[in-house]
Amino acid sequence: MKRIPIRVASLIATIFLLAACTGETAETTVPTSSTLAPSTTEAGAPTTAAPDTTVPAEPTSTTSSVNDEAEGSGCTPGEGDLPDGEWYGQVISASEAEVEFDLACWFTGDAAVRAAAEDGEESPPPNDYYVRNLNPMVRTVAVGEDVMVVWYPEIGDPNSETTIGYAEWKDEFDQRGEFTLGVWVEIVDGSIFAMREQWVP
């Protein structure tokens, strides 16, 4: 076998080495289509799925309640103790020191007409007043000192209106049985300062 001269062999080896190096460089520097994709198409392009937060939300109901038109201090003070003010409701029970009070809404005039209609009751309501009591919460209200009560000892007779002390009223309340009039309680510093029965025809 004929031997290849050392010089020729060295030249051939150099050619193969250059070819190999050139192939590696071409492999690592040729970009692919995935690396050429601009980053703005992923991070900067707007999407149609995101909601437009500048658009105001639609109202949940087209019928607004008239609770804010209730007489006195209203009828939606939230949970907890009654704040200072004048509130209408029913006395569930009464002791020397406290009253179990069921807050309600007392409406008159146009507010009574709308409230009765909202509740599906006769509207306009009889005698131009309407009572709404949709909340079963009963609050315990402390009785202040020297509380006076305006009441009607003769039920149904507005001319029987009189003012008596709380203790005497409580005795009369206990004897009335199931029929009791709604009352207005005036709250001062968290306690009943005065109380007035609401006469109804």
Side-chain angles (χ1 to χ4, degrees), residues 36 38 60 88:
L36 289 176
T60 56
Y88 175 81

Side-chain angles (χ1 to χ4, degrees), residues 104-147:
C105 307
W106 175 273
F107 299 102
T108 59
D110 291 340
V113 173
R114 291 195 298 277
E118 281 185 5
D119 295 347
E121 302 293 339
E122 181 181 350
S123 182
N127 301 310
D128 198 39
Y129 77 91
Y130 180 71
V131 176
R132 169 185 284 170
N133 190 354
L134 305 179
N135 189 338
M137 179 186 295
V138 174
R139 293 172 168 84
T140 301
V141 187
V143 177
E145 296 182 3
D146 302 323
V147 172

Side-chain angles (χ1 to χ4, degrees), residues 148-200:
M148 302 301 291
V149 181
V150 175
W151 80 304
Y152 299 92
E154 301 296 330
I155 297 175
D157 182 5
N159 295 321
S160 68
E161 177 184 311
T162 188
T163 301
I164 58 177
Y166 173 82
E168 185 179 350
W169 171 85
K170 179 192 167 303
D171 291 341
E172 296 290 340
F173 173 84
D174 291 340
Q175 295 175 19
R176 275 188 177 177
E178 294 183 2
F179 185 84
T180 59
L181 298 174
V183 300
W184 293 90
V185 292
E186 184 180 354
I187 305 297
V188 176
D189 295 333
S191 299
I192 296 176
F193 175 77
M195 191 157 58
R196 170 175 57 89
E197 288 190 336
Q198 173 64 57
W199 181 83
V200 292

